[in-house]
Structures are given as C-alpha cells and as structure tokens.
Amino acid sequence: MSGTVQTALITGFTNSLTAMKISPFGTTTVATLFVGQQDGKLFKVNNAQSTSYSLVEITGSEFVGSISDIEFGETSSEIFVTMYNYGVKSV
C-alpha cells in the first residue's frame, strides 16, 4: 500500500460532531468538508485539507435536533440534511 496520509486539525466547532461529509464537487487539491453538530448547526469547511481553512456556519432556519446525515444532489448547491430528535417532526 502506498500513498501519503495527511491529518489536519480543524477547530472552532461549538458542540459534539454528529455527521461529516466531504463534498464530491471538490478537486484533487482542494477539499470542502460539511460538518453537522448535535445542536443542529451545519458548517462548511473550505480548504479542509489545509491549515488555512475557513469555517462557515450554514445552518438553516428550521434546523431542530441533531444532524444525522449530509448528502449531495447533482450540484454543489444541492445539499440534503437529515436530523433526529425525540418529539420533533422528522423524515
């Protein structure tokens, strides 16, 4: 097995992480990571492979509960997020 494994420490999250997904629309040198938290916040991490990443909160106005999954549609602007929580309408 050959290749190089890189590890990057990304800080700035405010709660436990419950879902992570790398965007399939990135390039071989630039990664975009989406991270969901237990408190329902969704973050986009631009340049996730680098120490000069940027962390942007993109939480929707109706996000209630913990984020359980992040999936993508046909374009980078189509993001599907599911959530779970007792007593809250869910998928």
Side-chain angles (χ1 to χ4, degrees):
M1 187 170 175
S2 65
T4 302
V5 175
Q6 291 181 302
T7 302
L9 177 63
I10 300 173
T11 61
F13 300 108
T14 57
N15 211 305
S16 298
L17 307 183
T18 55
M20 291 187 286
K21 187 79 163 200
I22 295 174
S23 172
F25 302 103
T27 66
T28 57
T29 58
V30 178
T32 302
L33 174 68
F34 288 82
V35 179
Q37 293 189 157
Q38 185 177 15
D39 61 359
K41 291 184 179 180
L42 180 64
F43 292 91
K44 180 179 180 181
V45 184
N46 296 303
N47 296 316
Q49 79 294 339
S50 164
T51 57
S52 60
Y53 64 87
S54 65
L55 185 67
V56 180
E57 183 180 346
I58 58 170
T59 304
S61 61
E62 296 182 6
F63 283 29
V64 177
S66 299
I67 295 178
S68 59
D69 191 27
I70 304 166
E71 297 295 334
F72 297 93
E74 293 183 13
T75 69
S76 62
S77 61
E78 296 175 350
I79 304 170
F80 180 74
V81 177
T82 58
M83 310 187 82
Y84 64 94
N85 197 354
Y86 292 107
V88 175
K89 283 187 179 182
S90 55
V91 177

